Amino acid sequence: GKAFMNMGQLELAQRLLTAAIRDPRTAPRERAFSHLYLAEVLDLSGNRQQAIANYQQVLSVANVGGSHNTAQTYLKTPYRRGK
């Protein structure tokens, strides 16, 4: 999903990240990052309310690789490419 986001293919990234979140086999680390990346995609797409909901989901799962700090930052200021 992140790779497609970086290529500007936001709809495909959103579908893949949503599928990862919904898959019960997704590892906790991947689930946290899937929520984080999905929130970033949603911010880039102009869906701020959905992005906020996903940043909040990041905070409800394991803090991996600084995911909580990143989510808290983007709860305050929407994600933009190059950040």
Side-chain angles (χ1 to χ4, degrees):
K2 179 78 169 175
F4 288 107
M5 180 179 87
N6 291 338
M7 293 188 300
Q9 296 183 22
L10 300 181
E11 289 180 24
L12 181 55
Q14 184 174 346
R15 283 196 308 265
L16 292 171
L17 292 164
T18 299
I21 290 165
R22 290 181 178 162
D23 187 338
R25 298 169 294 178
T26 300
R29 177 180 178 82
E30 300 309 314
R31 185 172 310 283
F33 281 113
S34 293
H35 276 293
L36 183 60
Y37 298 150
L38 177 58
E40 291 174 356
V41 167
L42 292 165
D43 262 342
L44 290 173
S45 300
N47 296 312
R48 183 67 179 150
Q49 292 307 314
Q50 288 180 310
I52 288 171
N54 276 277
Y55 290 128
Q56 290 169 338
Q57 283 293 320
V58 172
L59 299 176
S60 74
V61 297
N63 183 15
V64 292
S67 61
H68 283 195
N69 287 338
T70 302
Q72 289 170 337
T73 297
Y74 294 137
L75 277 168
K76 295 174 189 165
T77 305
Y79 173 81
R80 294 289 168 246
R81 238 183 217 110
K83 300 269 178 169

